[in-house]
Amino acid sequence: MGSAAPRSASVLLLLLFLLLLRAEQPRGAELTFELPDNAKQCFHEEVEQGVKFSLDYQVITGGHYDVDCYVEDPQGNTIYRETKKQYDSFTYRAEVKGVYQFCFSNEFSTFSHKTVYFDFQVGDEPPILPDMGNRVTALTQMESACVTIHEALKTVIDSQTHYRLREAQDRARAEDLNSRVSYWSIGETIALFVVSFSQVLLLKSFFTEKRPITLASCSRAPHVPVWNSSRRSPRRVAQGGGRTMLLW
């Protein structure tokens, strides 16, 4: 009895895996690309008439995390246009057969470099079980479990994609904030050194100022004749600036 439950679980997972292999996946593309400033990037996809397609996009990094997006049908008519959107989703059923074009534009930005993610899917997802849409009888317990697990896995995939994009966006914001703080700290350090050096020079100039005495001030002082005791020629005494100088 104890080994019956794990065996049934293994059979259920194997059956689900085989059904997923048989199921046809809708055509589409999932891409993350760089969009420079003053640039526009367009993609093309051929869609049959009456087929539904969807476009999901989100700006991951750059500027204000916004971008212009528009979709045109094969006749050149614009069926979707949004300006400066951070993220959006668009679903449309093709009315005419041909090549549809969807473009992302960053022409309104002069310096900001953007990173854009988009997921473009064409066609409806086929049923996981054969003849599931035309069945009259109810699903068995095994089939109901397969459908439930399949829907849960789709939800998990969508959630993982959403969290992966949020993680990339938050990491870009954190790195940008870190670089700004680093540059601001370097600028404050340089300004602090300049101000400190200027203050030291200013204080030093207060204590090193001198008033030199020149010979010109001494030459303008009055001269007084003086006789020495040896009865030689008289000398003159130069008085000036608080000092006495003997001149022969």
Side-chain angles (χ1 to χ4, degrees), residues 29-111:
E30 188 176 3
L31 181 64
T32 301
F33 66 97
E34 301 288 337
L35 186 61
D37 53 285
N38 294 322
K40 181 176 68 173
Q41 185 71 36
C42 295
F43 302 88
H44 305 81
E45 183 68 27
E46 185 175 0
V47 183
E48 299 291 334
Q49 183 178 5
V51 176
K52 184 179 69 174
F53 64 88
S54 62
L55 173 65
D56 298 330
Y57 64 90
Q58 179 178 346
V59 182
I60 301 177
T61 61
H64 296 287
Y65 303 92
D66 52 357
V67 70
D68 296 343
C69 180
Y70 64 89
V71 181
E72 293 182 353
D73 62 6
Q75 299 176 353
N77 301 321
T78 302
I79 57 179
Y80 170 83
R81 178 181 293 274
E82 290 291 341
T83 59
K84 296 184 178 181
K85 296 284 290 187
Q86 296 183 354
Y87 58 89
D88 201 5
S89 178
F90 171 70
T91 303
Y92 183 77
R93 190 170 294 276
E95 298 181 354
V96 294
K97 177 183 177 180
V99 177
Y100 286 76
Q101 173 181 259
F102 57 100
C103 299
F104 300 94
S105 174
N106 193 30
E107 296 175 333
F108 62 89
S109 179
T110 307
F111 304 102

Side-chain angles (χ1 to χ4, degrees), residues 137-207:
T137 59
L139 298 177
T140 63
Q141 185 177 1
M142 183 73 70
E143 293 173 342
S144 300
C146 292
V147 173
T148 303
I149 295 176
H150 177 67
E151 296 297 331
L153 290 177
K154 288 175 54 180
T155 305
V156 169
I157 293 174
D158 294 338
S159 299
Q160 287 181 343
T161 302
H162 173 72
Y163 291 136
R164 187 173 66 251
L165 295 176
R166 290 295 300 271
E167 189 272 337
Q169 190 176 39
D170 294 341
R171 177 179 293 274
R173 289 181 177 178
E175 291 178 352
D176 181 64
L177 181 60
N178 180 51
S179 62
R180 291 186 181 184
V181 172
S182 300
Y183 292 147
W184 180 261
S185 301
I186 293 174
E188 284 187 337
T189 303
I190 295 175
L192 181 61
F193 275 110
V194 171
V195 172
S196 302
F197 186 72
S198 302
Q199 289 180 349
V200 171
L201 293 180
L202 182 61
L203 292 175
K204 185 178 180 181
S205 64
F206 290 158
F207 298 98

